[in-house]
Amino acid sequence: MSDGELRRILAAAEYIAVVGLSERPERASHGIAKYLLAAGYTVYGVNPKLAGRTIAGAEVYSSLADVPGRIDIVNVFRRSDAIPGITGETLELEPEKKIRCLWLQLGLYDKSSARRARQAGLTVVMDRCIKIEHAHLAR
């Protein structure tokens, strides 16, 4: 994916759901949620064990379905075996939440899920860190 495409995705987004948000400050999902909030995005955490709490400045919900309103980017911080289920939930909610992008963090890659999401009209980013890309493109 080109820098121009990534810039377009990030510039068009306002609402980002961080799936797998951790309460542990040393975890990447925690730091990236804080970074995205500081960059001006509205960030929702998705973690059923932490639902109802505020972590890294983000309200946390049990599932994507529980997030109020629109989600532009679903940013995934879960193990690879969870990606098909997250993709399914994303596709089911896409019309209601107006989801435009499924973003799989560094080390996450699933061809089948990516194909399904693209066929449904979503943009898919795999094996890329949203914070690194945002910081790189902001220069």
Side-chain angles (χ1 to χ4, degrees):
M1 186 164 284
S2 73
D3 282 356
E5 291 169 304
L6 292 170
R7 186 176 286 112
R8 180 189 55 76
I9 292 165
L10 293 168
E14 290 180 57
Y15 304 96
I16 300 175
V18 176
V19 179
L21 179 62
S22 175
E23 65 185 331
R24 296 170 45 197
E26 67 273 13
R27 300 296 297 261
S29 63
H30 189 98
I32 290 173
K34 286 177 81 168
Y35 174 87
L36 293 170
L37 281 163
Y41 296 99
T42 299
V43 177
Y44 303 110
V46 177
N47 185 327
K49 295 178 183 174
L50 303 175
R53 295 180 54 192
T54 301
I55 305 292
E59 293 296 319
V60 183
Y61 298 89
S62 290
S63 67
L64 289 170
D66 292 335
V67 171
R70 196 172 92 213
I71 300 170
D72 297 311
I73 298 174
V74 173
N75 185 218
V76 181
F77 284 89
R78 296 282 316 280
R79 292 186 352 208
S80 293
D81 60 357
I83 294 171
I86 294 165
T87 301
E89 184 180 13
T90 298
L91 296 177
E92 183 179 310
L93 294 169
E94 181 274 326
E96 172 191 343
K97 302 285 185 186
K98 301 185 183 346
I99 300 169
R100 294 184 263 178
C101 178
L102 177 65
W103 190 304
L104 307 179
Q105 278 297 130
L106 282 174
L108 297 179
Y109 190 82
D110 185 304
K111 277 184 163 181
S112 176
S113 292
R115 186 172 32 260
R116 286 174 49 214
R118 286 184 181 116
Q119 286 173 346
L122 271 64
T123 300
V124 178
V125 179
M126 294 190 289
D127 192 27
R128 309 246 342 223
C129 175
I130 196 168
K131 177 183 174 186
I132 291 170
E133 297 302 335
H134 185 274
H136 164 74
L137 296 170
R139 289 190 263 160

